Amino acid sequence: MGSKLTLGRAINTGLRQAMEADPKVLVMGEDVGKLGGVFRVTDGLQKDFGADRVIDTPLAESGIVGTAIGLALRGYRPVCEIQFDGFFFPAANQTFSQLAKIRRRSAGVLSVPVVIRIPYGGGIGAVEHHSESPEAYFTHTAGLRVVTAATPEDAYWAIQQAVASDDPVIFLEPKRRYYEKAEVDTDATLSAAPPLDAARVARPGSDATIVAYGPMVKTALQAAEADTERDIEVIDLRSLAPIDYDTVADSVRRTGRLVVVHEAPLTNGVGGEISARVTEECFYHLEAPVMRVCGFDTPYPQSRLEEYYLPDLDRILDGIDRAFAY
Amino acid sequence: MHYTTAHEDTELIQLLTPDGELREHPDYPLDISAAEVRGLYRDLVLVRRIDTEAVALQRQGELGLWASLLGQEAAQVGSGRALRANDMVFPSYREHGVAWCRDVDPWELLGLFRGVTNGGWDPNEHGFQLYTIVIGTQNLHATGYAMGVQRDGALGDDGTAVISYFGDGATSQGDTNEAFNFAAVNNAPVVFFCQNNQWAISEPLERQARVPLYQRALGYGFPGVRIDGNDVLATLAVTRRALRSAREGQGPTLIEAFTYRMGAHTTNDDPTRYRVSAEIDEWKQRDPILRLRAYLANQGMATDTFFAEVDTEADQLGERVRDECRALADPEPLDIFREVYAEPNSHIDRQRADFAEYLASFEDAGVTEGR
Ligand SMILES: Cc1ncc(C[n+]2csc(CCOP(=O)(O)OP(=O)(O)O)c2C)c(N)n1
Ligand SMILES: [Mg+2]
């Protein structure tokens, strides 16, 4: 039966499914128990699954990810919650040097199926360290899968697939979209869901392609709607590592123009990588260089300036205009 | 509240009982005039007022967030007033009372929570570094700063001591434990001031520690002491001594100020989800302001006129805080590109120029309310 869920609730429901399906699935993090996490994504899980499976950890991110690795080596499937994007970094050593490399170091003998959930991105008027978009650090690290969800439906399936994956998964949750509501078919089976690493055409179009992911998918769709002269296709990337280049290239070959949108800073971001790859694969189909509409190469600004920092409808339309100016 | 050994309070240093009676302590003689005690009372009342106003301003939408210090006034004022001008403070994000003692204007603190700035004041001017939101990191900075003081030979009676503020939750971080160890092996002139307010958002103390926090110091090789953090006199006396010991080259001290977070973690938090009100009622009996007021009154050290004057001053300060907060101007869009690097940077320069041109295009198009 379908029901209307917020994106946050969809992840909660997906986690619940994963925990019911597999007793080895654990949830761990700061304030995940009684409080249900600061965004309530783990709401009610400790009550229903007990404190052994929903672990309130000491306040230490390196400890969270490090012990999750140990639990995974012992056969568990921990889902770690990092409270905010800016607080991931104490866990960088455990994630980049350990979690990402254990499969290779053990010549494939060891598996560490850890999921690290991180509410990420800006737009909620927060104080510093609460609005970062750190995806490029993760996508630049071999051994990690990096996914994000733009809709409740996607979030519901993706979290279950992330838990089921034998690879470590960085699961980026667009925090400003936590309260977006949509229909989710919670009766369908997991195997029927699209693969975790498949991009999705969120809006078909023929004149230009926007590639976006996470919080920017909604903004990109709004921009596409607002453009009354041109027929814009919007692709929701969903997986940032690996990237589904087939879906992207297929679109660009039809439209000839591409604008990549993300909140993270421009330089060395996911957009630059997509631009390079699309240029290699679709060179003769391109009518214009690939445009990027991104955050600036600055620290995330104080909240009173974030509306200027974050790509919005106008800036995306400006990017499309630039693509058509060729 | 189910107590663990982390809550045992047999070692608690207290000079002023919750009823306002003074109890001498052999190790911590109080050398303080009646005027100074009245000054502490004034600080406590004014600091609480700043906090109350800030909570209200957040509710009115003037601030994005506020982290209330309610209940922790004595821990902050007592330690803040123990400092000397030369000393350096490394705060977390809740040290509004210490900021007050370092002459940081309250509205400068509000800028961060309003979202018009990421910092606001000049740390060197006030001997008060910027607020630190990433838990525990400032403890290493304080330790390194203290190592610098050591290398400068800036110890001695007119020298510099460093103090770092953090919470019970922060004691779990690697950074905090590394700071303890760096400070110990370097004998650095730093005081670690832990406000144990019993909660780290929804996590009670027993999720962080199985021993009283002050005992952590022993494992690293320096003294640790637990004080009644709601007793401004004990806090003052113990912090003064720890700072002096640091200045005199005797290395670090850990002070655990046993107190209570009377309010929500921040204005975003809903504590009814995880704690019971009986606990709050219990701590109300230990209010830091009431006990000092009782002491002043009982000793005849202050008159009703004095108390009334302080209240009037608090009202005036409250009004000023409201006005100054509303007057805090939004930054300009191009400020995004400021202060990223000391030297000119081609990426930033180009992005600033492009964005300026982009913004101007709205004006050219005659869009006045463009964004
Ligand atoms: C590294 C890091 N992880 C998580 C957080 C989110 N967070 C903010 S305050 C807090 C609890 C801090 O508790 P405590 O150290 O006791 O200080 P208190 O807030 O009680 O003053 C947490 C988990 C953070 N700011 N930094
Ligand atoms: Mg605390």
Side-chain angles (χ1 to χ4, degrees), chain A residues 31 43 56 61 297 304, chain B residues 115 173 202-203 207 273 351:
Chain A
D31 304 288
D43 184 32
D56 278 311
E61 289 74 10
D297 292 346
R304 293 279 176 141
Chain B
Q173 279 288 6
S202 74
E203 302 292 8
R207 293 309 306 168
R273 287 179 70 99
Q351 287 186 12

Side-chain angles (χ1 to χ4, degrees), chain B residues 72 93-94 167-170 195-201 203 261 265:
Chain B
Q72 299 176 220
Y93 42 80
R94 207 186 288 284
D168 43 294
Q195 286 169 85
N196 175 2
N197 63 7
Q198 315 301 325
W199 292 93
I201 310 187
E203 302 292 8
R261 195 194 79 208
H265 169 68

Side-chain angles (χ1 to χ4, degrees), chain B residues 31 75-76 84 172 213 242 255 290 308 319 335 347 351 353 360 369:
Chain B
D31 179 18
Q76 297 194 10
R84 295 190 187 161
S172 292
L213 294 175
I255 299 175
L290 290 181
E319 203 179 317
D335 288 351
H347 285 190
Q351 287 186 12
E369 285 296 309

Side-chain angles (χ1 to χ4, degrees), chain B residues 83 87-90 138-150 155 160-166 178-193 222-223 239 241-255:
Chain B
L83 293 162
D87 295 338
M88 181 56 87
V89 178
F90 284 79
Q138 75 276 24
N139 290 323
L140 280 167
H141 306 161
T143 302
Y145 193 96
M147 288 162 62
V149 168
Q150 241 176 350
L155 296 175
T160 291
V162 182
I163 188 166
S164 194
Y165 287 86
F166 55 101
E178 290 174 26
F180 288 174
N181 198 39
F182 270 64
V185 299
N186 287 292
N187 202 42
V190 57
V191 175
F192 295 109
F193 194 94
F222 56 90
T239 312
R241 183 166 144 178
L243 290 166
R244 189 176 64 220
S245 150
R247 270 189 222 103
E248 287 173 354
Q250 286 163 37
T253 304
L254 170 62
I255 299 175

Side-chain angles (χ1 to χ4, degrees), chain B residues 19-335:
Chain B
D19 300 329
E21 267 169 51
L22 192 67
R23 290 219 201 105
E24 301 281 337
H25 192 291
D27 295 338
Y28 300 99
L30 237 203
D31 179 18
I32 188 170
S33 70
E36 280 174 291
V37 181
R38 284 195 298 272
L40 292 172
Y41 176 82
R42 174 179 169 271
D43 286 335
L44 294 175
V45 171
L46 296 186
V47 160
R48 180 170 289 183
R49 177 56 73 93
I50 293 165
D51 190 73
T52 315
E53 292 296 343
V55 171
L57 284 163
Q58 194 279 337
R59 295 278 177 255
Q60 294 157 21
E62 296 291 340
L63 299 178
L65 181 82
W66 183 250
S68 167
L69 61 43
L70 190 67
Q72 299 176 220
E73 296 88 350
Q76 297 194 10
V77 166
S79 57
R81 287 301 176 205
L83 293 162
R84 295 190 187 161
N86 282 347
D87 295 338
M88 181 56 87
V89 178
F90 284 79
S92 79
Y93 42 80
R94 207 186 288 284
E95 270 68 71
H96 322 311
V98 186
W100 170 258
C101 298
R102 301 307 276 175
D103 293 329
V104 177
D105 285 329
W107 32 98
E108 290 194 74
L109 301 176
L110 299 187
L112 172 68
F113 294 94
R114 188 174 167 88
V116 302
T117 158
N118 275 341
W121 55 92
D122 177 350
N124 292 319
E125 182 190 328
H126 294 281
F128 188 79
Q129 294 286 328
L130 298 181
Y131 272 1
T132 312
I133 288 174
V134 184
I135 300 290
T137 52
Q138 75 276 24
N139 290 323
L140 280 167
H141 306 161
T143 302
Y145 193 96
M147 288 162 62
V149 168
Q150 241 176 350
R151 276 151 186 76
D152 291 343
L155 296 175
D157 193 43
D158 57 354
T160 291
V162 182
I163 188 166
S164 194
Y165 287 86
F166 55 101
D168 43 294
T171 62
S172 292
Q173 279 288 6
D175 278 7
T176 300
N177 290 278
E178 290 174 26
F180 288 174
N181 198 39
F182 270 64
V185 299
N186 287 292
N187 202 42
V190 57
V191 175
F192 295 109
F193 194 94
C194 177
Q195 286 169 85
N196 175 2
N197 63 7
Q198 315 301 325
W199 292 93
I201 310 187
S202 74
E203 302 292 8
L205 181 60
E206 53 265 31
R207 293 309 306 168
Q208 315 292 346
R210 284 297 163 106
V211 297
L213 294 175
Y214 75 95
Q215 289 181 7
R216 292 267 179 95
L218 306 181
Y220 291 97
F222 56 90
V225 31
R226 177 183 277 184
I227 58 177
D228 179 345
N230 286 14
D231 170 358
V232 71
L233 299 181
T235 308
L236 179 76
V238 172
T239 312
R240 262 188 189 160
R241 183 166 144 178
L243 290 166
R244 189 176 64 220
S245 150
R247 270 189 222 103
E248 287 173 354
Q250 286 163 37
T253 304
L254 170 62
I255 299 175
E256 177 192 358
F258 206 73
T259 179
Y260 192 77
R261 195 194 79 208
M262 296 298 286
H265 169 68
T266 66
T267 45
N268 275 346
D269 179 38
D270 173 12
T272 61
R273 287 179 70 99
Y274 55 80
R275 71 182 190 186
V276 295
S277 58
E279 192 179 295
I280 300 166
D281 295 340
E282 191 186 316
W283 277 91
K284 266 190 190 146
Q285 312 300 315
R286 307 182 209 171
D287 183 76
I289 299 187
L290 290 181
R291 77 172 77 175
L292 192 65
R293 187 184 172 117
Y295 172 65
L296 281 168
N298 295 345
Q299 299 298 309
M301 287 160 85
T303 59
D304 284 349
T305 324
F306 167 76
F307 293 124
E309 276 166 10
V310 172
D311 288 344
T312 309
E313 193 183 352
D315 290 342
Q316 287 161 351
L317 179 64
E319 203 179 317
R320 177 93 196 268
V321 168
R322 292 195 293 276
D323 291 347
E324 297 278 359
C325 175
R326 296 199 174 95
L328 286 169
D330 279 356
E332 294 297 323
L334 293 181
D335 288 351

Side-chain angles (χ1 to χ4, degrees), chain A residues 5-322:
Chain A
L5 297 179
T6 63
L7 190 142
R9 198 72 201 170
I11 299 171
N12 175 278
T13 313
L15 279 172
R16 188 175 281 279
Q17 297 276 17
M19 295 185 80
E20 272 163 9
D22 181 354
K24 294 290 187 187
V25 176
L26 308 176
V27 163
M28 54 197 293
E30 296 153 12
D31 304 288
V32 297
K34 273 190 189 162
L35 187 64
V38 294
F39 292 105
R40 311 291 184 262
V41 172
T42 59
D43 184 32
L45 296 181
Q46 191 178 65
K47 192 169 127 270
D48 295 341
F49 295 96
D52 267 0
R53 291 188 65 192
V54 179
I55 306 167
D56 278 311
T57 66
L59 204 178
E61 289 74 10
S62 180
I64 294 170
V65 175
T67 56
I69 291 172
L71 282 157
L73 292 172
R74 182 69 193 179
Y76 287 89
R77 306 184 87 86
V79 181
C80 303
E81 174 171 304
I82 299 294
Q83 203 159 78
F84 280 89
D85 34 52
F87 309 141
F88 162 76
F89 301 105
N93 174 36
Q94 290 292 348
T95 305
F96 297 130
S97 305
Q98 304 301 324
L99 185 63
K101 293 187 168 147
I102 285 177
R103 175 172 306 281
R104 173 63 165 259
R105 283 175 54 221
S106 67
V109 175
L110 301 176
S111 238
V112 275
V114 173
V115 177
I116 304 180
R117 297 181 34 242
I118 310 176
Y120 90 110
I124 62 160
V127 294
E128 56 176 352
H129 311 295
H130 291 74
S131 306
E132 318 261 308
S133 294
E135 59 266 30
Y137 300 125
F138 299 114
T139 59
H140 205 64
T141 301
L144 302 177
R145 297 183 72 166
V146 185
V147 301
T148 174
T151 67
E153 173 93 25
D154 250 5
Y156 172 73
W157 296 115
I159 190 64
Q160 295 179 67
Q161 291 168 322
V163 172
S165 169
D166 283 336
D167 289 313
V169 180
I170 307 296
F171 194 85
L172 298 169
E173 303 174 0
K175 66 171 87 80
R176 71 160 138 157
R177 306 293 184 215
Y178 268 140
Y179 306 99
E180 305 273 328
K181 251 190 174 173
E183 198 75 28
V184 178
D185 181 4
T186 49
D187 277 349
T189 57
L190 188 56
S191 53
L196 190 56
D197 53 11
R200 171 179 73 98
V201 178
R203 180 188 199 271
S206 54
D207 295 339
T209 304
I210 302 177
V211 163
Y213 54 86
M216 279 291 117
V217 172
K218 181 178 179 182
T219 317
L221 285 168
Q222 287 168 340
E225 290 299 326
D227 192 332
T228 47
E229 284 158 31
R230 294 161 298 206
D231 185 24
I232 310 292
E233 176 147 313
V234 176
I235 292 180
D236 171 4
L237 219 45
R238 297 176 75 246
S239 171
L240 309 183
I243 287 175
D244 175 3
Y245 283 115
D246 289 347
T247 300
V248 175
D250 175 65
S251 173
V252 174
R253 287 194 194 105
R254 283 186 283 106
T255 64
R257 290 182 171 84
L258 174 63
V259 177
V260 188
V261 181
H262 55 65
E263 288 187 23
L266 175 92
T267 300
N268 295 318
V270 170
E273 187 55 36
I274 292 176
S275 169
R277 184 69 177 258
V278 165
T279 307
E280 286 165 20
E281 292 196 3
C282 311
F283 189 68
Y284 292 109
H285 294 86
L286 282 170
E287 305 283 344
V290 178
M291 297 294 162
R292 288 171 292 166
V293 178
C294 304
F296 302 113
D297 292 346
T298 68
Y300 195 85
Q302 50 272 50
S303 62
R304 293 279 176 141
L305 288 178
E306 71 179 343
E307 63 168 308
Y308 294 99
Y309 179 91
L310 293 168
D312 62 2
L313 194 142
D314 287 331
R315 266 172 70 197
I316 296 174
L317 289 175
D318 178 64
I320 297 172
D321 286 348
R322 283 188 283 131

